[in-house]
Structures are given as structure tokens and as C-alpha cells.
Amino acid sequence: MYKAPVQEIAFTLKHVAGMAEAIDGGPLSDLGEDLVEAILAEAGRFATEEIAPLADVGDRQGARLSNGEVKTPDGWRDLYRNWAAGGWNGLTAAEEFGGQALPHMLNVAALEMWNSGSMAFALCPTLTMGAIEALNVHGSAALKEKYLARMVSGEWTGTMNLTEPHAGSDLGVLKARAERREDGTYRIFGQKIFITWGEHDAAENIIHLVLARLPDAPDGTRGISLFLVPKFLVNEDGSLGARNDLHCHSLEHKLGIHGSPTCTMIYGDGKFGGKGAVGWLIGEENKGLACMFTMMNNARLAVGMQGVAICEAATQKAIAYAKERTQGKAPGWRGSGMSPIIEHPDVIRMLLTMKALTQGSRAITYACAHAIDMAHRATERQEHWRERAALLTPIAKSFATDAGVDVASLGIQVHGGMGFIEETGAARYLRDARIAPIYEGTNGIQAIDLVTRKLPLSDSKQVRGFITELKAIAEAVRSSNLDGFGATADRLGSSLADLEDATSWLLERLAEGRSAEALSGATPYLRLFGLVLTGCYLAKGGLANTADGLGEGRIALCRFTAENLLSETAALKDRVVHGAESFAAARAVLA
Amino acid sequence: MYKAPVQEIAFTLKHVAGMAEAIDGGPLSDLGEDLVEAILAEAGRFATEEIAPLADVGDRQGARLSNGEVKTPDGWRDLYRNWAAGGWNGLTAAEEFGGQALPHMLNVAALEMWNSGSMAFALCPTLTMGAIEALNVHGSAALKEKYLARMVSGEWTGTMNLTEPHAGSDLGVLKARAERREDGTYRIFGQKIFITWGEHDAAENIIHLVLARLPDAPDGTRGISLFLVPKFLVNEDGSLGARNDLHCHSLEHKLGIHGSPTCTMIYGDGKFGGKGAVGWLIGEENKGLACMFTMMNNARLAVGMQGVAICEAATQKAIAYAKERTQGKAPGWRGSGMSPIIEHPDVIRMLLTMKALTQGSRAITYACAHAIDMAHRATERQEHWRERAALLTPIAKSFATDAGVDVASLGIQVHGGMGFIEETGAARYLRDARIAPIYEGTNGIQAIDLVTRKLPLSDSKQVRGFITELKAIAEAVRSSNLDGFGATADRLGSSLADLEDATSWLLERLAEGRSAEALSGATPYLRLFGLVLTGCYLAKGGLANTADGLGEGRIALCRFTAENLLSETAALKDRVVHGAESFAAARAVLA
């Protein structure tokens, strides 16, 4: 059973991702170390003791639809209410609406733990948090006044309604329509698919944020507006009024995250009376996509946390099994009888790989949250931190979610035949993990975003400056003269050179307008960047002189990573630089 | 929907795996090209038209147990009977028992197609074929006389009963016991788990091959005997007699292959009367493991075919979706509206990778079957071919099944959100594929087998001779001077050097008794070998001058593979040679 790794999480936040400096005279100086420890400990307890034990029932029962109502799995309604009562939903929200205005770093750490407990469960607040942020940034004072406090408290949940059957990655072609009414409200009509927690019984009201098109809107993404469309209309006194003209038509039958209802939502078909779902504009007409991006960037990092969460939970489970299960005799085994399979070199290889990808993904996502906090709270270089967050977001989302799939798959392998049996629980991690590289922008789209929008930031000074910082870590390893690092300094140096070369090559191709070539290597490039960050952040952790007694282990894991996983960076650079030429002719094979 | 790629299969058999030479004056000269074409076409038709349409119902319904009886999914009983009536079960079996004594090459090609149609369905004959072979090689004349013809016809199916809860990879510790009776029969007692198609309603009788231990047997693997234990006893006249004292106690709830009943079998608990399940010895007492290995080697290649089969089916499905689904505008897209996603470079990268791994896995497995055929039928160098088959078997099993998982996962990714929805069918491929790297010896065990038992064959002359043959392919690419190959010759040369270096390093470590170091890199080494074979076999296909009009496509796919996938070999060699040093210290991280 999952046990939240509170100590490791705190270490990564403080000594790898930059929280310690931000507290010590930086923009987080209000935040006491004691508060951080207390929050993490309590979040860890809740994830371990309350959420994780209900993950299996959620997977087995799934969310169930009958008569337009969605019933959550046994125990989940109370679980959600207890979770909200703990104040977790408003960790980062504004104080004026009841939030605690704490840094994002704490929230992503908590999100990691909720998701390790149950990814299907954690999706509900993940969506609500995104809706809160979009409403807070773009909503009118009146809308915020009416909705935000109840969403921050978790009494009401939120959703994002983007996708339609023909409009997934490309939102420009969506068809849901909105009509203006004289009272300033709108009526919404249309169908939305893949709406996470679009309908359920765990909260009193559900606040849908819906993208739709006005009759006179321009074509494409410049003609999309964002609307707030509540399940129940809200009276002036804040009490719930009539049911709005929207409903859940069906639930998807999915590979994983069974406890999370994935809804097809129908707006304005009159099933609950009314002529169109009543909606209120968020932001300006035809500027809906910009509002939605506020939610989406937030959500991309949150999806990255799902990857980290699955990595951690799957790794814990595999290590526990490998210690317990005995089979054969490992080389050098001197015990009586069979050795635990954790003594077999091939099992050690798998488990260390899982551990390294977990720690690397965690560090990258936390560093991204750190950049977001700095962008909001630092008194100087805010633009630099905004860019850093923008650069890290696609890597955090994609590298961590790919790692989630790979680590969950390795976890099944460690379990042998038992891994394929659903009751064991290892298979669920793979089933749940598999969606994360797809939603909130597929990982291929993240890679395109990284290459075409993020590398050019500040005339490429952002990415080059980042690489320079990373080189300093490699140099610090070298000058530490610690034997335990083995060849880490050389390996990091070589991988950083690969990253630098690939970055320059891509920037040159973009400058020349040769985007097809650049895009052919976007995914290998993103992985290259993620591996380099993994190596550097593990090294930074290994170098941090802390009193927790795990220093040698961190250095040893860093060495394993450098001497085993980083050899891939040369191959990835090669794919970026030389891979594209063969695409054109080979494309014919797919005819 | 899957359509058997009969033309590509025939090409690979003939021009890549060696069938053409074996027919043209070689040991398969009895085999006409027309017969090969006819068999493949009819197998393809059956897989496409009969099996594939019943795959989904099998996945949804699964096998169902009630009162000790297992009901197969709707339509599967007739499907199996029609399949057996087509004579497919006896393709390679001896003519004296009604088989057609055709080469294994044809059987693996057919197996690929059955498995693409439905892996859960194809598992039934896969197990029967293994049982037939073990019985044919090791059984007494009387046993063969009584059982083989009905098994070859498919009227009766066969199983392998190895695993017990504490004895999976390590069979030395199994506890099922056998008692001698004065009439020469035995009584079998014990529990076996993970018994594929251990009970079902598609055939009249089920012939279980069961490993058990005699009371006076030595400890460990030298004290295991193999028994034939039929579900129904068989009278002297061949009619079915009393129910034997064995039954299916429960079915596993699995990630995939739902249509295949995975049974816990109980022998000798008296549920159907009797005092112990009546069994007959196969081979000699205490030599059961050797008999079982006859089945297992066969089964390992058959499991490799499952990997190829999933690769092919998942790739077909992804390509079809990518042509149909439109989203966004790809670079250079000049059509109106959105482009099909197959125009996006990142999608092309995924699909070509899927295609390359499919073709590579197919070529490796077929080459393994070719070596088996040559070992049985060639008039000279039989030992050489036995060794070649032994060398290729672990690579065929592991590389192809890993590819199955990777390709199925990429297939989901190509489908975007639809890939996560079960009705789409892409997710089933991943769920089914995930068992193949585990059973019949985990891929980690295959890698150990490759390194410790296969590399040293004939004092390493077998592997070195093979590498020399592969180098000749690289040279042939170079001297072909075909522009379409791009950098293939250089890439192959470099990857072959990686393979040669890694091989030498491993052989040195083994010679020095440093097996832990060698085993640490066994899995990366196996993948390195598989990638090199993929590159070389695709090149061989590209060089084959055939009239099918696909020559340019084959060369282009080979180039894509060489310039994109082969860059990984340097990293893999590095892991083999330098990876192990970091294991010892990092092992502590797993404490």
C-alpha cells in the first residue's frame, strides 16, 4: 500500500527545486519551514490513510450513470467532503475567497500525493483548481463574488469543457454555440465530450467552464468565448435555484481512471426545461481561448504531477514485492533457499530505473512550480521566471507522464505473472497512467510547444541561460571530488553538450523557416531535455549537504542515472539532428 | 479492422528469413511456392474474416467459470471447431498422427495471423502445439498412439502445468506430487496456477501435461517428472471414460487476454471422485524438466509471435485512424481545412517507429523459425542450425514482446483521447500485449539465457559467425550504391561494432566468472542485439530484388530505422560495458 514519501518530497522541494532559497530571504520568507513540514505531513497522512485505501473500489466499481445522475464509487462522496473540509482545495487560492494563498510548490507536492493515492479521485479537485484560477484571473467581480468562495471551499466543483468529437487538439473548429440575451446572460447549446467529473454526486453544484462560439464570431480560435455555466442556477442569496439546461448524456468506458466520470455533456437540449443552458461570459467575447489557457497551463503541470504520482506509487509497490518474493538464487546470494528477487541484477536495474525516473520527474515538476511561484511573488526578474515556467511546463507534463507509463509498465514486469492479475494492483497504475500523455495537449503537442514557442523565448536567451545554470551543477559535481559520483561529472557534461547542440540545431532550423525538420525531432528533443534535467537535479540533490542521512543514497542513485540513463542523450541528439531526412521517403510506406 | 498482411509475410519468409533459398535446392525443396502462397492466403483469410471479428466479444465477456465449467465467449466454440477443422492445428505435426509435417516457418507465420486476430483465442492452439511436440518427442509409443492423433486434429487441446504460487521462474521448488501405482500409472496431487486454457468448453477433452515430484525424487530441478493427465480418461477404444480427479478451481481476473481462461487447477482433491488424478509418465522419472523444455522453447518463439502479431494489428489500426482523423494543419499542408493527422511529423515518427519494430520483430522471429526448420531438415550443419535457433530464441521472444508493448502504447497515443476509450480497440492491444514479456520466462530471464548460455555456444563461434553474416549485409548495402539507403551502411556498421564490442565484453566477464556484472547488462544487450537484427533484416529486405513493387518503400523504412532507431545501440553498448559499476552502491537506495 502506498505511503506518502513526505521526507523525500520535502527534500526535493527545499534542496532541489529552490524552496529553501526562496524561504531564506527570498519571496517565500513568510513561509516557515515548520508550516511546510506540517502541511506536507498532513497531506501525506490524508493521501496514505484516506485516499489510497479507496483507490481499488473506485477502479472496480467505476463511476456509474443512471437517469442522468452519476454515482461515485462507495465511500468517495465522504472522502471528497472530508478532503474539502481539510481546506486542501484552497491551498493556493486567494485569501479573499477563503483560500490560503500558499505557494504552488506546496500544492503540486500535495497533488502528487493525492494522485498517488488515487489518480481518478485527484482529478476532481485538479479540474476545480483550474476553474478557480481561470475565474479568478478573468472573471468579473460579480461572478467571482458569487462563485469563487464556494469553489475554493470545495463545496462546488469545476470542469473544463473544451473537446467536441471533431475538435480535440484543434479547438478552432469547435461548434458549441452561444446566444446573447438582453439581460446580459447567454444561452449555450451543444455537445462536449471527455468532460472529466462533468457530473457526480460528491458536491452540491458543478460549475462548468464552457468554450462556445457566438453567432457573429470570427472563424477559428479567435471566435471562441468562455462561459460559466452552473449545473444549478444560483440565487441572489447564494442558495441553489433551478436546474440549468444541461446534463450528462453518457459516460466513457475507459482503460483506466475508472472512478473518474468522463462525461458527454449536452447543453441546451431542453431535457431539464429551459431553452438553452444559461451562461455568463468570462473575460471578453471571442477571447475565450486566452482565458482557457490560464486553466490549461495550470492543468498541464497538474497532469505532470499525475505522472510523478504514478511513478512513486508503482515504484513503492514493486520494491515491496521484490523484497518479499523469493525466486532462484542471485549471483553471490549466500542466504539459505531462494533469494528475494530484489537481489537479481536485472530486477535491481528495473527498480533503480523506476526510482531515477520518479525522482527526476518529481524534481522537474517541482522546479516548474517554483518558477511559477517566483513569477508571481518575486520582486525582480518576474519575466525571467515566467519564461522559465513556460519553458519547463511542456517538459514537466510530457517527461513525467511518459515516465509514469514506463515506470508503471516496469512495475508490472517486476511482479512477474502476478503483475498481470488485476487484484495485485500493479496493472491499475499502467491503466491509469496511460491517459496522462494524451490529455491536456498530447505529449507530441507539448514537444511542438517546447520547440516552436519556448526555445525562442527572449531570443533563445532563456533556454541558453538555463543550460548555463545546469552546467554549473555538472561543474559542482566535478569540484566536489566525491568518489561516489563516479563518472557523473563527465556524463552530465557530455549530455549537456548534446542538449546544447540539439537546441542550436533546432533554433537554426526555426530561423530558416524549416519547421517540418524541427518538428520531426521535437519529441526526441523533449526527452533529451528531460533526461538532462533528471541527471542534473539528481546531482543537485546529491550535492545538497543535509542532515537527513540519505546523502550517500542520493549520490549513488545519481551515479546510476548518469552511467545508465544518460547514455541515451547522444542517441536522442542524433535523432533530432539527423532523423528528419528519412521521413519524406518513408512516409510512402504508410500509404 | 485487422487485415492479414499476407504479401508482407510471404516476402519476409522468402526473402529475409531464408525460405526462398531453402526451397530452391535446399531442404524445403518439396515445398512449392504455390503451396506456401495458398496456405498463407487461407490462414490470412481465416484470421481476418473469422477470428478478428470475434476478438472484441472475447475481451468484453471473457471466459466465465460456473460450477467448475468454463464457458468460452459467444461464438468461440464454433470458431475453435472451424479452425481445427481447417487442419491448422496439425500444420507441423507428424504425418503418422494426421499432421502435415510442414515447416515451422509456415506455422509461425500462421500463428502471427491468429494472434493478430485474437491473442486470447490463439493461445489455445499455441499450448496444444507445445503439448503435441513434447509428447511426440518424449512420450511412449502407447501414449502417442492413444492421444496424439486427437490432439493433432484439434479435437482435444493441451496445456502446460508448471507454475505453483511459490514456484514461477524457479521450478526447482515445486510441490505437486506424484505417487506410483502398481499398474504403471501414477496419481497426481497438488495445485497449479496460471494454467492457460486449463478448462473450457471448446473441445471434448483436455490433455494436461503436469510437472510433479515423486516421493523419492531428489531436491530441485533434478527431481521433477512430467505426466500426462487427461480431463477425461480415455478408454481402450478411444472413447471418453470417467472424469479424472482434477478441476478448475478459479479463473484469474487479468489485465488482458480476457477470452483466454487462466485457471487455477486442482489435482487429486477428490471433487470428481477418485483418489488422485490418474497420470501417465512422459519420458523418464525425474527427467521432466528436459521434456518440458521441448515445449518451452517452442512456446517461447510462439510468444514472440504474439509480440509481432500485436505490433502488426496495432500499427494497422493506428495508420487507419491517422489517415481518417483530421486535426490542425501540418507544416506544408495545402489541402483545405484540417489535415489528416498522418501529415504531422510527430505522428509520422510514431507510425514509422511502429512499422519498423513490426517488421524487425517479424524478421527476427521468422529467422528463428527458419533455423529450427534447418536444424530438423538440413542434411548438413544441423548442429550449427540448432545453435542458431537457440541463440535467436531469447531475442525473438523478448525483443518482439517488448516491441508489442511499445507499439501498442504508441498506437494508443496516435489515437489521442479515443485511444483511451475501450470501444476504440487500441487499448486492448496494450492490455493483451503486456503479458507476453512476462510468461514463458520473463524477458529478464531470456536475457540471462542469451548472455550466459547462448553467447558461449561453440566457444562463442556461433555468435561471432552470426555477426560476420550480418556484417555482410551492411557491406551489401554499401556496395549497392542505392541513394535511398541514405546513411544505412554507416549506421549498420557502427551498430554492428557496438554489438561486437558488447559481446566480447560479456564473454570476457563470463570467462572471468564475473557473472553479476554480465547479468547487470543482459537486458540492454538483448535489446542491442534485437535492434541490430532489425536494421540488418530490414536492409536485407530492401536489397531483395523482387517484383512486388514495394522495394523502394522497404529501402525507405530501412533508412528511417537506421537513421532513427539504431542510434540507440551506442547507448545500449555503453550500459552493458559501463552500467554495472554503479549498481552496488545504488542498491542501498532500494532498502
Side-chain angles (χ1 to χ4, degrees), chain A residues 223-239:
Chain A
I224 298 175
S225 306
L226 180 64
F227 300 92
L228 182 154
V229 189
K231 175 178 172 186
F232 291 102
L233 300 177
V234 179
N235 298 321
E236 285 309 309
D237 64 358
S239 62

PDB file of all heavy atoms in Angstrom, chain A residues 223-239:
ATOM      1  N   GLY A 223     -12.571  33.201 -32.492  1.00  0.00           N
ATOM      2  CA  GLY A 223     -14.010  33.391 -32.348  1.00  0.00           C
ATOM      3  C   GLY A 223     -14.594  32.538 -31.235  1.00  0.00           C
ATOM      4  O   GLY A 223     -15.766  32.183 -31.273  1.00  0.00           O
ATOM      5  N   ILE A 224     -13.787  32.261 -30.247  1.00  0.00           N
ATOM      6  CA  ILE A 224     -14.231  31.384 -29.164  1.00  0.00           C
ATOM      7  C   ILE A 224     -14.369  32.192 -27.882  1.00  0.00           C
ATOM      8  O   ILE A 224     -13.489  32.982 -27.547  1.00  0.00           O
ATOM      9  CB  ILE A 224     -13.217  30.245 -28.966  1.00  0.00           C
ATOM     10  CG1 ILE A 224     -13.141  29.395 -30.241  1.00  0.00           C
ATOM     11  CG2 ILE A 224     -13.598  29.385 -27.776  1.00  0.00           C
ATOM     12  CD1 ILE A 224     -12.081  28.333 -30.183  1.00  0.00           C
ATOM     13  N   SER A 225     -15.472  31.992 -27.190  1.00  0.00           N
ATOM     14  CA  SER A 225     -15.688  32.689 -25.917  1.00  0.00           C
ATOM     15  C   SER A 225     -15.838  31.670 -24.802  1.00  0.00           C
ATOM     16  O   SER A 225     -16.227  30.521 -25.042  1.00  0.00           O
ATOM     17  CB  SER A 225     -16.953  33.552 -25.999  1.00  0.00           C
ATOM     18  OG  SER A 225     -16.886  34.426 -27.119  1.00  0.00           O
ATOM     19  N   LEU A 226     -15.543  32.130 -23.589  1.00  0.00           N
ATOM     20  CA  LEU A 226     -15.614  31.227 -22.426  1.00  0.00           C
ATOM     21  C   LEU A 226     -16.791  31.621 -21.546  1.00  0.00           C
ATOM     22  O   LEU A 226     -16.971  32.807 -21.232  1.00  0.00           O
ATOM     23  CB  LEU A 226     -14.313  31.309 -21.625  1.00  0.00           C
ATOM     24  CG  LEU A 226     -14.231  30.411 -20.380  1.00  0.00           C
ATOM     25  CD1 LEU A 226     -14.282  28.930 -20.766  1.00  0.00           C
ATOM     26  CD2 LEU A 226     -12.953  30.702 -19.582  1.00  0.00           C
ATOM     27  N   PHE A 227     -17.571  30.643 -21.147  1.00  0.00           N
ATOM     28  CA  PHE A 227     -18.759  30.888 -20.340  1.00  0.00           C
ATOM     29  C   PHE A 227     -18.742  30.055 -19.065  1.00  0.00           C
ATOM     30  O   PHE A 227     -18.251  28.927 -19.065  1.00  0.00           O
ATOM     31  CB  PHE A 227     -20.025  30.554 -21.139  1.00  0.00           C
ATOM     32  CG  PHE A 227     -20.143  31.372 -22.379  1.00  0.00           C
ATOM     33  CD1 PHE A 227     -19.624  30.909 -23.589  1.00  0.00           C
ATOM     34  CD2 PHE A 227     -20.726  32.633 -22.340  1.00  0.00           C
ATOM     35  CE1 PHE A 227     -19.700  31.680 -24.739  1.00  0.00           C
ATOM     36  CE2 PHE A 227     -20.808  33.411 -23.494  1.00  0.00           C
ATOM     37  CZ  PHE A 227     -20.287  32.934 -24.694  1.00  0.00           C
ATOM     38  N   LEU A 228     -19.315  30.667 -18.035  1.00  0.00           N
ATOM     39  CA  LEU A 228     -19.554  29.939 -16.794  1.00  0.00           C
ATOM     40  C   LEU A 228     -20.990  29.435 -16.836  1.00  0.00           C
ATOM     41  O   LEU A 228     -21.931  30.216 -17.008  1.00  0.00           O
ATOM     42  CB  LEU A 228     -19.337  30.879 -15.599  1.00  0.00           C
ATOM     43  CG  LEU A 228     -19.498  30.293 -14.196  1.00  0.00           C
ATOM     44  CD1 LEU A 228     -18.656  31.095 -13.205  1.00  0.00           C
ATOM     45  CD2 LEU A 228     -20.956  30.259 -13.749  1.00  0.00           C
ATOM     46  N   VAL A 229     -21.157  28.113 -16.698  1.00  0.00           N
ATOM     47  CA  VAL A 229     -22.471  27.510 -16.837  1.00  0.00           C
ATOM     48  C   VAL A 229     -22.685  26.555 -15.660  1.00  0.00           C
ATOM     49  O   VAL A 229     -22.187  25.438 -15.670  1.00  0.00           O
ATOM     50  CB  VAL A 229     -22.590  26.742 -18.173  1.00  0.00           C
ATOM     51  CG1 VAL A 229     -24.045  26.313 -18.414  1.00  0.00           C
ATOM     52  CG2 VAL A 229     -22.084  27.580 -19.341  1.00  0.00           C
ATOM     53  N   PRO A 230     -23.424  26.998 -14.626  1.00  0.00           N
ATOM     54  CA  PRO A 230     -23.575  26.136 -13.452  1.00  0.00           C
ATOM     55  C   PRO A 230     -24.620  25.052 -13.664  1.00  0.00           C
ATOM     56  O   PRO A 230     -25.580  25.245 -14.415  1.00  0.00           O
ATOM     57  CB  PRO A 230     -24.034  27.119 -12.368  1.00  0.00           C
ATOM     58  CG  PRO A 230     -24.728  28.203 -13.120  1.00  0.00           C
ATOM     59  CD  PRO A 230     -24.102  28.288 -14.477  1.00  0.00           C
ATOM     60  N   LYS A 231     -24.413  23.924 -12.998  1.00  0.00           N
ATOM     61  CA  LYS A 231     -25.410  22.836 -13.053  1.00  0.00           C
ATOM     62  C   LYS A 231     -26.726  23.334 -12.467  1.00  0.00           C
ATOM     63  O   LYS A 231     -27.780  23.177 -13.079  1.00  0.00           O
ATOM     64  CB  LYS A 231     -24.890  21.638 -12.268  1.00  0.00           C
ATOM     65  CG  LYS A 231     -25.856  20.478 -12.130  1.00  0.00           C
ATOM     66  CD  LYS A 231     -25.187  19.330 -11.353  1.00  0.00           C
ATOM     67  CE  LYS A 231     -26.178  18.224 -11.007  1.00  0.00           C
ATOM     68  NZ  LYS A 231     -25.544  17.191 -10.137  1.00  0.00           N
ATOM     69  N   PHE A 232     -26.674  23.941 -11.282  1.00  0.00           N
ATOM     70  CA  PHE A 232     -27.845  24.596 -10.699  1.00  0.00           C
ATOM     71  C   PHE A 232     -27.624  26.095 -10.731  1.00  0.00           C
ATOM     72  O   PHE A 232     -26.531  26.573 -10.345  1.00  0.00           O
ATOM     73  CB  PHE A 232     -28.062  24.157  -9.245  1.00  0.00           C
ATOM     74  CG  PHE A 232     -28.497  22.730  -9.110  1.00  0.00           C
ATOM     75  CD1 PHE A 232     -27.595  21.746  -8.741  1.00  0.00           C
ATOM     76  CD2 PHE A 232     -29.814  22.359  -9.388  1.00  0.00           C
ATOM     77  CE1 PHE A 232     -28.000  20.420  -8.625  1.00  0.00           C
ATOM     78  CE2 PHE A 232     -30.227  21.029  -9.269  1.00  0.00           C
ATOM     79  CZ  PHE A 232     -29.309  20.052  -8.891  1.00  0.00           C
ATOM     80  N   LEU A 233     -28.632  26.820 -11.163  1.00  0.00           N
ATOM     81  CA  LEU A 233     -28.538  28.273 -11.105  1.00  0.00           C
ATOM     82  C   LEU A 233     -28.431  28.692  -9.642  1.00  0.00           C
ATOM     83  O   LEU A 233     -28.923  27.998  -8.750  1.00  0.00           O
ATOM     84  CB  LEU A 233     -29.770  28.902 -11.759  1.00  0.00           C
ATOM     85  CG  LEU A 233     -29.952  28.528 -13.247  1.00  0.00           C
ATOM     86  CD1 LEU A 233     -31.237  29.137 -13.810  1.00  0.00           C
ATOM     87  CD2 LEU A 233     -28.743  28.980 -14.073  1.00  0.00           C
ATOM     88  N   VAL A 234     -27.775  29.823  -9.413  1.00  0.00           N
ATOM     89  CA  VAL A 234     -27.522  30.273  -8.046  1.00  0.00           C
ATOM     90  C   VAL A 234     -28.326  31.544  -7.797  1.00  0.00           C
ATOM     91  O   VAL A 234     -28.216  32.514  -8.544  1.00  0.00           O
ATOM     92  CB  VAL A 234     -26.015  30.523  -7.840  1.00  0.00           C
ATOM     93  CG1 VAL A 234     -25.748  31.020  -6.421  1.00  0.00           C
ATOM     94  CG2 VAL A 234     -25.211  29.253  -8.132  1.00  0.00           C
ATOM     95  N   ASN A 235     -29.153  31.519  -6.773  1.00  0.00           N
ATOM     96  CA  ASN A 235     -29.976  32.687  -6.439  1.00  0.00           C
ATOM     97  C   ASN A 235     -29.106  33.816  -5.886  1.00  0.00           C
ATOM     98  O   ASN A 235     -27.941  33.626  -5.540  1.00  0.00           O
ATOM     99  CB  ASN A 235     -31.042  32.309  -5.413  1.00  0.00           C
ATOM    100  CG  ASN A 235     -31.984  31.251  -5.971  1.00  0.00           C
ATOM    101  OD1 ASN A 235     -32.354  31.294  -7.147  1.00  0.00           O
ATOM    102  ND2 ASN A 235     -32.343  30.277  -5.136  1.00  0.00           N
ATOM    103  N   GLU A 236     -29.753  35.003  -5.789  1.00  0.00           N
ATOM    104  CA  GLU A 236     -29.005  36.171  -5.303  1.00  0.00           C
ATOM    105  C   GLU A 236     -28.446  35.948  -3.900  1.00  0.00           C
ATOM    106  O   GLU A 236     -27.380  36.420  -3.555  1.00  0.00           O
ATOM    107  CB  GLU A 236     -29.902  37.424  -5.325  1.00  0.00           C
ATOM    108  CG  GLU A 236     -30.129  37.975  -6.712  1.00  0.00           C
ATOM    109  CD  GLU A 236     -28.823  38.172  -7.480  1.00  0.00           C
ATOM    110  OE1 GLU A 236     -27.895  38.798  -6.935  1.00  0.00           O
ATOM    111  OE2 GLU A 236     -28.722  37.674  -8.623  1.00  0.00           O
ATOM    112  N   ASP A 237     -29.202  35.194  -3.083  1.00  0.00           N
ATOM    113  CA  ASP A 237     -28.742  34.967  -1.712  1.00  0.00           C
ATOM    114  C   ASP A 237     -27.748  33.813  -1.621  1.00  0.00           C
ATOM    115  O   ASP A 237     -27.347  33.390  -0.535  1.00  0.00           O
ATOM    116  CB  ASP A 237     -29.950  34.688  -0.788  1.00  0.00           C
ATOM    117  CG  ASP A 237     -30.668  33.394  -1.185  1.00  0.00           C
ATOM    118  OD1 ASP A 237     -30.267  32.748  -2.185  1.00  0.00           O
ATOM    119  OD2 ASP A 237     -31.624  33.022  -0.486  1.00  0.00           O
ATOM    120  N   GLY A 238     -27.357  33.294  -2.776  1.00  0.00           N
ATOM    121  CA  GLY A 238     -26.361  32.220  -2.771  1.00  0.00           C
ATOM    122  C   GLY A 238     -26.964  30.831  -2.675  1.00  0.00           C
ATOM    123  O   GLY A 238     -26.251  29.833  -2.800  1.00  0.00           O
ATOM    124  N   SER A 239     -28.269  30.739  -2.454  1.00  0.00           N
ATOM    125  CA  SER A 239     -28.887  29.407  -2.407  1.00  0.00           C
ATOM    126  C   SER A 239     -29.031  28.858  -3.826  1.00  0.00           C
ATOM    127  O   SER A 239     -28.976  29.609  -4.808  1.00  0.00           O
ATOM    128  CB  SER A 239     -30.265  29.496  -1.728  1.00  0.00           C
ATOM    129  OG  SER A 239     -31.102  30.348  -2.492  1.00  0.00           O
TER     130      SER A 239
END
